[in-house]
C-alpha cells in the first residue's frame, strides 16, 4: 500500500517565553502532493460509543473508548485515499494536540526494534488520543501506552499542550520513544529529524520515555558518545538529506528568534531547547511557518543564484495543506482561553484565521470542503489567492503584505471584543456565543480575501504580455 511522506515543521513555546503568557504549539501539515483537500470540523462528545477505527494507510484497527470529549479536527476530505489524519485541535478540556511531525530513526536502532507494519499509524493517532485526555502529560502517557501495545509503523513526533505545559514526543522505532517538556522560558523547533538531545532520566517532571529504553541502548551498544545520553545521537539520522531538507529550517527559525547567534544552516548540532531575550507572539510563529528563507540568498522568491535559491527546502510550501498555531491563554477565563489560528492556503500568502476552541461546529466553508475547486470553500479560496500571489510575486508582494497586516490587526480587534462580551457569559450560552463569533470571523476574513482577490485580478490585467500600445483609440 502506497504511503505519502508528510514532512512538517513544528514550533513549541513555553508560557513565560510567549508575549502574553500563553502556551503555544504550532505545525505546518505538509503532504506529498500540492493538493490534499482538508476540512475543519468539531466532533461532538459521545457516551457509550461502540466504534472501531481503521487506518487506510496500513489497515490498523482498534476499538475506541466508549466515552469521548468533544474535540476539533482537520481531517482529509478523501479519507479512503489519504487516511483520516484528524491532525490538530483542542478537546473540551483545553488540551491541545498536533500530530504528526514525520521523524526518522537510524538503521542501527531500527535493526533491533523495527517498525511494526500493521501498528498504530500516524493517521489514527489524533483520533486515538485527543478525545480521551485531560492534560498534556496525559497525552504523552496515553500515546506511549498505545505505542507499547500496538507498535508504530513509522517514526513520528507529536506536540501536546495545556495551560501550563508544552511537551514534544518523538517516536523513532517500533516501540521506543522519548518526550521532553519545553521549559516555561524556552522555545523549540523541529523539522523531520530527531530533535531531543540530552535526556535526564532522574528528572521525570521534564522527561518521559518508553519502558526499557535505557537497557535497549546499553544491550545493543547504541550510544556513540563517551559521556551523556543524547537521544538525537543515539536514535537520529545525520545525512546529506538532513543537511539540505531539515536542519536549514531549524536554522532559519532560530536565526529569527536569536539573530545575535551565528550558526551553520547545515549543522547537525543546532540546539533543541532555546532561549531568547524577546517575547514570542502568535505573529512571530505565523511568519516562520510561512517563511522561505526570506531576506537571505536561499529564498526561492529572492535574488540569489539558482544554486543558493534551491539549495534548501523552505518552511512554507505549496504542499502545506494547513498551518496552525494552538494557543492557550492564561490572561482570560478558562472557557475562552483556547484559540486555534489556522491557514488553509500557502502560509506565506494567506492569513491565519482564529477559532475559539470552546465551540460546537465550524462554518460550512471550512467543514464542507469539496474535492474539486469551489470558491465557496475556504480551502480552495485561500489556495487560489496563494497561487495568484506567487505567480506575480514581485508585483503583488507589497499588496499581499498589506492584506495580511490588515487581517492580523482586525483579528486582534475581533478577539478583544469577543473576549469582553464572553466574560459576561457562561455554560452553554458562552459556547454558543463563541461558536457564532467563529462564524463571524470567518465571514470577515472571507470578505477581505475576496476583495483582495479582486484587486489582484484587476492589477493582473496590466501585466499581460498580450498588449501593444500605439494609440489610445486602438
Amino acid at each position: 500500500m502506497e504511503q505519502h511522506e508528510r514532512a512538517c515543521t513544528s514550533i513549541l513555546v513555553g508560557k513565560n517565553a510567549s508575549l502574553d503568557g500563553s502556551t503555544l504549539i504550532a505545525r505546518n501539515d505538509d503532504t506529498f502532493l500540492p493538493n490534499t483537500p482538508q476540512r475543519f470540523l468539531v466532533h461532538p462528545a459521545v457516551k457509550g460509543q461502540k466504534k472501531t477505527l481503521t487506518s487506510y494507510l496500513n489497515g490498523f484497527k482498534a476499538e475506541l473508548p466508549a466515552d469521548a470529549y468533544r474535540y476539533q479536527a482537520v481531517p482529509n476530505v478523501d479519507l479512503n485515499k489519504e487516511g483520516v489524519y484528524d491532525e490538530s485541535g483542542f478537546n473540551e478540556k483545553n488540551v491541545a494536540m498536533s500530530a504528526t511531525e514525520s521523524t526518522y530513526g537510524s538503521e542501527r536502532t531500527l535493526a533491533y526494534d523495527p517498525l511494526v507494519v500493521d501498528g498504530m499509524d500516524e493517521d489514527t493517532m489524533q483520533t486515538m488520543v485527543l478525545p480521551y485526555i485531560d492534560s498534556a502529560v496525559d497525552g504523552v502517557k496515553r500515546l506511549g501506552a498505545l505505542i507499547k501495545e500496538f507498535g508504530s509503523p513509522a517514526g513520528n513526533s507529536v506536540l501536546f499542550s495545556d495551560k501550563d505545559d508544552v511537551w514534544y514526543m518523538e517516536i523513532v522505532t517500533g516501540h521506543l520513544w522519548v518526550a521532553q517538556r519545553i521549559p516555561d522560558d524556552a522555545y523549540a523547533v523541529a523539522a523531520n529529524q530527531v530533535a531531543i538531545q540530552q535526556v535526564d532520566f532522574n528528572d521525570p517532571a521534564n522527561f518521559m520515555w518508553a519502558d526499557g529504553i535505557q537497557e535497549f541502548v546499553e544491550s545493543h551498544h547504541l550510544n556513540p558518545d563517551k559521556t551523556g545520553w543524547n537521544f538525537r545521537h543515539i536514535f537520529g539520522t545525520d545525512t546529506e538529506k538532513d543537511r539540505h531538507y531539515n536542519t536549514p529550517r531549524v536554522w532559519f527559525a532560530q536565526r529569527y528568534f536569536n539573530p545575535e547567534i551565528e550558526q551553520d544552516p547545515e549543522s547537525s548540532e543546532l540546539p533543541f531547547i532555546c532561549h531568547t531575550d524577546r517575547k514570542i507572539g502568535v505573529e512571530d510563529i505565523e511568519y516562520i511557518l510561512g517563511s522561505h528563507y526570506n531576506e537571505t540568498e536561499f529564498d526561492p522568491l529572492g535574488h540569489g543564484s539558482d544554486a543558493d535559491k534551491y539549495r534548501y527546502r523552505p518552511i512554507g510550501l505549496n504542499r502545506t495543506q494547513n498551518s496552525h498555531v494552538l494557543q492557550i491563554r492564561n490572561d482570560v477565563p478558562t472557557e475562552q482561553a483556547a484559540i486555534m489560528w489556522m491557514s488553509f492556503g500557502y502560509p506565506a500568502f494567506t492569513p491565519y484565521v482564529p477559532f475559539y476552541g470552546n465551540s460546537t461546529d465550524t462554518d460550512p466553508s471550512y467543514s464542507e470542503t469539496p474535492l474539486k475547486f469551489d470558491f465557496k470553500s475556504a480551502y480552495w479560496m485561500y489556495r487560489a489567492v496563494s497561487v495568484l500571489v506567487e505567480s506575480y510575486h514581485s508585483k503583488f508582494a507589497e499588496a499581499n503584505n498589506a492584506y495580511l497586516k490588515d487581517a492580523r490587526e482586525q483579528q486582534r480587534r475581533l478577539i478583544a471584543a469577543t473576549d469582553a462580551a464572553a466574560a459576561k457569559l457562561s455554560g452553554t450560552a458562552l459556547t454558543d456565543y463563541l461558536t457564532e463569533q467563529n462564524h463571524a470571523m470567518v465571514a470577515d476574513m472571507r470578505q477581505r480575501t475576496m476583495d483582495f482577490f479582486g484587486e489582484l485580478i484587476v492589477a493582473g490585467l496590466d501585466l499581460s504580455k498580450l498588449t501593444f500600445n500605439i494609440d489610445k483609440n486602438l
Side-chain angles (χ1 to χ4, degrees):
M1 185 172 293
E2 181 181 14
Q3 287 201 28
H4 289 165
E5 179 180 282
R6 303 171 76 87
C8 310
T9 307
S10 298
I11 301 174
L12 310 94
V13 181
K15 61 185 179 181
N16 293 340
S18 69
L19 192 62
D20 60 358
S22 298
T23 58
L24 298 162
I25 60 173
R27 184 172 60 88
N28 279 357
D29 171 30
D30 303 333
T31 57
F32 181 75
L33 299 173
N35 280 322
T36 307
Q38 296 182 340
R39 61 196 188 109
F40 172 42
L41 54 89
V42 179
H43 290 290
V46 295
K47 294 283 187 181
Q49 71 175 348
K50 293 182 179 179
K51 185 176 180 181
T52 299
L53 178 66
T54 302
S55 168
Y56 163 81
L57 298 183
N58 67 347
F60 166 79
K61 293 184 179 181
E63 295 296 320
L64 294 174
D67 300 338
Y69 294 133
R70 183 185 72 226
Y71 73 103
Q72 297 171 317
V74 191
N76 292 325
V77 174
D78 191 348
L79 303 184
N80 293 325
K81 181 179 179 182
E82 303 294 344
V84 179
Y85 288 106
D86 273 344
E87 283 294 340
S88 56
F90 297 99
N91 69 20
E92 63 182 273
K93 297 298 182 179
N94 277 11
V95 182
M97 178 179 175
S98 181
T100 70
E101 173 90 26
S102 296
T103 309
Y104 302 92
S106 69
E107 60 271 25
R108 288 196 307 271
T109 55
L110 287 167
Y112 302 110
D113 183 29
L115 298 172
V116 179
V117 175
D118 60 350
M120 186 176 69
D121 218 332
E122 60 177 320
D123 69 320
T124 64
M125 287 185 180
Q126 192 91 1
T127 315
M128 291 280 288
V129 175
L130 183 59
Y132 312 105
I133 57 177
D134 292 280
S135 68
V137 167
D138 279 353
V140 175
K141 289 180 178 179
R142 175 168 172 78
L143 183 52
L146 291 170
I147 293 299
K148 182 177 181 178
E149 179 179 358
F150 297 113
S152 177
N156 290 294
S157 297
V158 183
L159 297 72
F160 294 99
S161 67
D162 53 37
K163 69 182 182 64
D164 293 315
D165 293 336
V166 176
W167 282 85
Y168 189 65
M169 179 180 186
E170 296 188 313
I171 306 159
V172 286
T173 67
H175 303 86
L176 299 176
W177 56 270
V178 163
Q180 182 170 5
R181 183 182 185 274
I182 309 304
D184 292 341
D185 62 347
Y187 74 89
V189 182
N192 301 130
Q193 191 177 15
V194 175
I196 295 173
Q197 296 174 296
Q198 292 294 333
V199 178
D200 186 349
F201 292 102
N202 295 314
D203 185 8
N206 291 294
F207 292 92
M208 288 187 275
W209 54 88
D211 293 339
I213 193 170
Q214 291 170 274
E215 294 79 5
F216 173 87
V217 169
E218 183 176 355
S219 64
H220 295 296
H221 314 292
L222 297 173
N223 190 346
D225 298 333
K226 293 183 177 179
T227 60
W229 207 95
N230 188 306
F231 189 61
R232 186 188 301 177
H233 290 175
I234 298 169
F235 284 88
T237 58
D238 182 9
T239 66
E240 183 177 2
K241 176 183 176 180
D242 290 325
R243 286 183 278 281
H244 287 265
Y245 197 81
N246 299 331
T247 61
R249 287 180 277 155
V250 177
W251 165 81
F252 184 81
Q254 293 182 359
R255 178 181 183 269
Y256 176 83
F257 287 130
N258 293 96
E260 74 282 4
I261 301 175
E262 291 190 13
Q263 299 182 121
D264 182 350
E266 298 183 22
S267 170
S268 298
E269 297 300 328
L270 295 174
F272 177 55
I273 300 299
C274 299
H275 298 82
T276 176
D277 290 337
R278 55 169 295 187
K279 293 294 184 77
I280 297 171
V282 170
E283 294 87 349
D284 295 312
I285 297 175
E286 292 175 356
Y287 171 80
I288 291 173
L289 291 180
S291 66
H292 37 86
Y293 306 111
N294 308 47
E295 301 181 75
T296 75
E297 65 271 31
F298 308 122
D299 186 351
L301 302 178
H303 305 289
S305 67
D306 282 352
D308 286 334
K309 287 166 65 174
Y310 305 112
R311 187 183 304 273
Y312 302 136
R313 185 266 211 209
I315 295 176
L317 292 173
N318 66 331
R319 295 188 285 109
T320 301
Q321 303 304 317
N322 89 72
S323 180
H324 52 270
V325 183
L326 301 177
Q327 177 185 24
I328 305 176
R329 301 175 295 166
N330 281 299
D331 61 347
V332 296
T334 299
E335 293 77 14
Q336 63 199 70
I339 296 179
M340 175 157 66
W341 302 80
M342 186 167 62
S343 170
F344 256 165
Y346 303 2
F349 308 128
T350 55
Y352 287 72
V353 180
F355 295 89
Y356 282 88
N358 185 10
S359 60
T360 55
D361 70 8
T362 59
D363 189 86
S365 64
Y366 278 83
S367 62
E368 299 176 8
T369 304
L371 281 172
K372 294 184 177 180
F373 181 86
D374 185 339
F375 245 131
K376 292 183 292 185
S377 157
Y379 176 88
W380 290 111
M381 177 186 71
Y382 285 119
R383 296 187 80 73
V385 169
S386 302
V387 170
L388 194 54
V389 171
E390 186 184 356
S391 297
Y392 294 99
H393 186 259
S394 63
K395 302 293 184 181
F396 291 163
E398 186 174 347
N400 184 240
N401 289 336
Y403 155 70
L404 295 177
K405 177 180 179 295
D406 290 345
R408 288 191 294 265
E409 186 176 327
Q410 173 68 351
Q411 287 163 0
R412 281 191 172 270
R413 287 197 195 97
L414 292 173
I415 289 172
T418 299
D419 282 343
K424 302 173 185 177
L425 302 172
S426 62
T428 302
L430 173 58
T431 302
D432 290 345
Y433 173 69
L434 294 179
T435 302
E436 293 170 2
Q437 290 305 106
N438 283 352
H439 287 270
M441 284 186 272
V442 166
D444 183 90
M445 289 301 114
R446 166 170 282 277
Q447 186 60 57
R448 288 171 177 273
T449 301
M450 291 305 295
D451 289 346
F452 177 56
F453 192 86
E455 293 174 16
L456 296 179
I457 293 295
V458 171
L461 294 174
D462 289 331
L463 301 177
S464 173
K465 298 183 185 301
L466 297 178
T467 186
F468 195 92
N469 295 324
I470 185 171
D471 185 295
K472 67 178 182 180
N473 295 315
L474 297 177

Coordinates of all heavy atoms in Angstrom, one line a residue, residues 399-423:
A399 N 1.3 44.4 -1.9 CA -0.1 44.4 -1.6 C -0.5 43.2 -0.8 O -1.4 43.3 0.1 CB -0.9 44.3 -3.0
N400 N 0.2 42.0 -0.9 CA -0.1 40.9 -0.1 C 0.3 41.1 1.3 O -0.5 40.8 2.3 CB 0.7 39.7 -0.7 CG 0.4 38.4 0.1 OD1 1.3 37.8 0.7 ND2 -0.8 38.0 0.1
N401 N 1.4 41.8 1.6 CA 1.8 42.1 2.9 C 0.8 43.0 3.6 O 0.5 42.9 4.8 CB 3.2 42.7 2.9 CG 4.3 41.7 2.6 OD1 4.1 40.5 2.8 ND2 5.4 42.2 2.1
A402 N 0.3 44.0 2.8 CA -0.7 44.9 3.4 C -2.0 44.2 3.8 O -2.6 44.4 4.8 CB -1.0 46.0 2.4
Y403 N -2.4 43.3 2.9 CA -3.6 42.4 3.2 C -3.4 41.6 4.4 O -4.3 41.6 5.3 CB -3.8 41.6 1.9 CG -4.6 40.3 2.1 CD1 -5.9 40.2 2.4 CD2 -3.9 39.0 2.0 CE1 -6.6 39.0 2.6 CE2 -4.6 37.8 2.1 CZ -5.9 37.8 2.4 OH -6.6 36.6 2.5
L404 N -2.3 41.0 4.6 CA -2.0 40.2 5.8 C -1.9 41.1 7.1 O -2.5 40.7 8.1 CB -0.7 39.4 5.6 CG -0.7 38.3 4.5 CD1 0.6 37.7 4.4 CD2 -1.8 37.3 4.8
K405 N -1.3 42.2 7.0 CA -1.2 43.1 8.1 C -2.6 43.6 8.5 O -2.9 43.6 9.7 CB -0.3 44.3 7.7 CG -0.2 45.4 8.8 CD 0.7 46.5 8.4 CE 0.8 47.6 9.5 NZ -0.5 48.2 9.7
D406 N -3.4 44.0 7.6 CA -4.7 44.5 7.9 C -5.6 43.4 8.6 O -6.4 43.6 9.5 CB -5.4 45.0 6.7 CG -4.8 46.3 6.2 OD1 -4.1 47.0 7.0 OD2 -5.1 46.7 5.1
A407 N -5.4 42.1 8.0 CA -6.1 41.0 8.6 C -5.7 40.7 10.0 O -6.6 40.5 10.9 CB -5.9 39.7 7.7
R408 N -4.5 40.7 10.3 CA -4.0 40.5 11.7 C -4.5 41.6 12.7 O -4.9 41.3 13.8 CB -2.5 40.4 11.7 CG -1.9 39.2 11.1 CD -0.4 39.0 11.4 NE 0.4 40.0 10.8 CZ 1.0 39.9 9.6 NH1 0.9 38.8 8.9 NH2 1.7 40.9 9.1
E409 N -4.5 42.8 12.2 CA -5.0 43.9 13.0 C -6.5 43.8 13.3 O -6.9 43.9 14.5 CB -4.7 45.2 12.3 CG -5.1 46.5 13.1 CD -4.7 47.8 12.3 OE1 -3.7 47.8 11.5 OE2 -5.5 48.8 12.4
Q410 N -7.2 43.4 12.3 CA -8.7 43.2 12.5 C -9.0 42.0 13.4 O -9.9 42.1 14.3 CB -9.3 43.0 11.1 CG -10.8 42.6 11.2 CD -11.7 43.7 11.7 OE1 -11.2 44.8 12.2 NE2 -13.0 43.5 11.7
Q411 N -8.2 41.0 13.3 CA -8.4 39.8 14.1 C -8.2 40.1 15.6 O -9.0 39.7 16.4 CB -7.5 38.7 13.7 CG -7.9 38.0 12.4 CD -6.8 37.2 11.7 OE1 -5.7 37.1 12.3 NE2 -7.0 36.7 10.6
R412 N -7.2 40.9 15.9 CA -7.0 41.3 17.3 C -8.1 42.1 17.8 O -8.5 41.9 19.0 CB -5.7 42.1 17.4 CG -4.4 41.2 17.4 CD -3.2 41.9 17.8 NE -2.0 41.0 18.0 CZ -1.7 40.4 19.1 NH1 -2.5 40.6 20.2 NH2 -0.6 39.7 19.2
R413 N -8.7 43.0 17.0 CA -9.9 43.7 17.4 C -11.1 42.8 17.7 O -11.8 43.0 18.7 CB -10.3 44.7 16.3 CG -9.4 45.9 16.2 CD -10.1 47.0 15.4 NE -9.1 48.0 14.9 CZ -8.6 48.0 13.7 NH1 -8.9 47.1 12.8 NH2 -7.7 49.0 13.3
L414 N -11.3 41.9 16.8 CA -12.4 41.0 16.9 C -12.3 40.1 18.2 O -13.3 39.9 18.9 CB -12.6 40.1 15.7 CG -13.0 40.8 14.4 CD1 -12.9 39.9 13.2 CD2 -14.4 41.4 14.5
I415 N -11.1 39.6 18.4 CA -10.9 38.8 19.6 C -11.0 39.6 20.9 O -11.6 39.1 21.9 CB -9.5 38.1 19.5 CG1 -9.5 37.0 18.4 CG2 -9.1 37.5 20.9 CD1 -8.1 36.5 18.2
A416 N -10.5 40.8 20.9 CA -10.7 41.7 22.1 C -12.1 41.9 22.4 O -12.6 41.8 23.6 CB -9.9 43.0 21.9
A417 N -12.9 42.2 21.4 CA -14.3 42.5 21.5 C -15.1 41.2 22.0 O -15.9 41.2 22.9 CB -14.9 43.0 20.2
T418 N -14.7 40.1 21.4 CA -15.3 38.8 21.8 C -15.0 38.4 23.2 O -15.9 38.0 24.0 CB -14.9 37.7 20.8 OG1 -15.2 38.0 19.5 CG2 -15.5 36.4 21.2
D419 N -13.7 38.6 23.6 CA -13.4 38.3 25.0 C -14.1 39.1 26.0 O -14.6 38.6 27.0 CB -11.9 38.6 25.2 CG -11.0 37.4 24.6 OD1 -11.5 36.3 24.4 OD2 -9.8 37.7 24.4
A420 N -14.3 40.4 25.7 CA -15.0 41.3 26.6 C -16.5 40.8 26.8 O -17.0 40.8 27.9 CB -15.0 42.7 26.1
A421 N -17.1 40.5 25.7 CA -18.5 40.1 25.7 C -18.6 38.7 26.4 O -19.6 38.4 27.1 CB -19.1 40.1 24.3
A422 N -17.7 37.8 26.1 CA -17.7 36.4 26.6 C -17.6 36.4 28.1 O -18.1 35.5 28.7 CB -16.6 35.6 25.9
A423 N -16.9 37.3 28.6 CA -16.6 37.4 30.1 C -17.9 37.5 30.9 O -18.0 37.2 32.1 CB -15.7 38.5 30.4

